[in-house]
Amino acid sequence: MRKKKRASRLVLLLFVVYLVILVWIILFKLQLSISELDYNRSVNLIPFYYSNSVGTKFHLKEVLENVFVFVPFGIYLSMLKGKLQFWKKAALIFTSSLALETAQYILAVGSSDITDIITNTIGGILGIGSYHLIVKILRNRERADNAIIVLATIVTVLLISGIVFIFMLN
């Protein structure tokens, strides 16, 4: 039981680190200084419409980035709140994405976009599905959690090391 409690604490810590990085990506656009941010306040309520596109109406790269960045959210949520119903997890992901887009608008640090909310939510749902697939493949929730914890710890350490390296260069 003690080992399980320690694992839960580590998952929570990894999730918090992920959330901090997620906020840095979404609100601060990976900038190292607040003064480097482009101040922009706009709202787009038309899904998958990009008004500033020149000859392109669909930005696949941006869509995939938004999906990808929220996959860990669904995985961590499934690990921390495994007994929570699927729709409640999806609602938490949607609400978190909506809160981040709203914060972007309030802080005037980017365009608040319905497409981002949709793609972020899809990413989180893919994370939930990925977690359940990993559990099914490994045939054991505890084994799946341990494998994910090891992988997430490695990725988090590498990511933080990269961020620290970037800060040191500036």
Side-chain angles (χ1 to χ4, degrees):
M1 187 64 146
R2 192 173 185 178
K3 193 175 183 181
K4 202 172 190 176
K5 193 172 187 176
R6 207 171 1 167
S8 292
R9 285 186 186 153
L10 182 55
V11 171
L12 184 59
L13 174 66
L14 290 167
F15 187 46
V16 168
V17 170
Y18 162 77
L19 290 175
V20 168
I21 294 170
L22 184 68
V23 167
W24 183 48
I25 291 169
I26 293 175
L27 294 183
F28 300 103
K29 313 298 183 222
L30 300 172
Q31 296 298 320
L32 302 176
S33 168
I34 293 175
S35 63
E36 294 175 17
L37 287 172
D38 291 332
Y39 290 95
N40 172 30
R41 180 178 286 146
S42 65
V43 176
N44 174 29
L45 298 176
I46 304 169
F48 302 98
Y49 173 76
Y50 303 94
S51 62
N52 59 351
S53 294
V54 179
T56 304
K57 293 192 181 197
F58 186 75
H59 293 160
L60 181 62
K61 182 179 179 239
E62 183 181 339
V63 166
L64 292 176
E65 287 171 348
N66 285 340
V67 169
F68 178 73
V69 79
F70 261 76
V71 168
F73 197 111
I75 293 172
Y76 284 129
L77 196 55
S78 294
M79 292 175 74
L80 292 168
K81 298 290 182 184
K83 292 184 168 121
L84 199 61
Q85 295 172 325
F86 169 81
W87 71 270
K88 288 183 180 179
K89 291 178 195 171
L92 275 169
I93 293 164
F94 171 82
T95 305
S96 299
S97 180
L98 179 63
L100 287 166
E101 291 299 312
T102 302
Q104 265 186 312
Y105 182 80
I106 291 169
L107 298 172
V109 291
S111 176
S112 299
D113 196 329
I114 190 70
T115 302
D116 293 348
I117 296 171
I118 292 166
T119 54
N120 293 346
T121 303
I122 289 169
I125 289 169
L126 286 173
I128 294 168
S130 298
Y131 176 76
H132 290 291
L133 183 63
I134 293 166
V135 170
K136 194 171 195 164
I137 289 169
L138 296 178
R139 298 185 180 134
N140 181 310
R141 182 183 164 108
E142 190 175 334
R143 196 177 314 155
D145 285 359
N146 289 336
I148 293 168
I149 288 169
V150 169
L151 181 62
T153 301
I154 292 168
V155 169
T156 301
V157 168
L158 289 174
L159 195 58
I160 290 173
S161 299
I163 292 168
V164 168
F165 182 71
I166 290 168
F167 273 117
M168 290 172 53
L169 291 177
N170 285 323

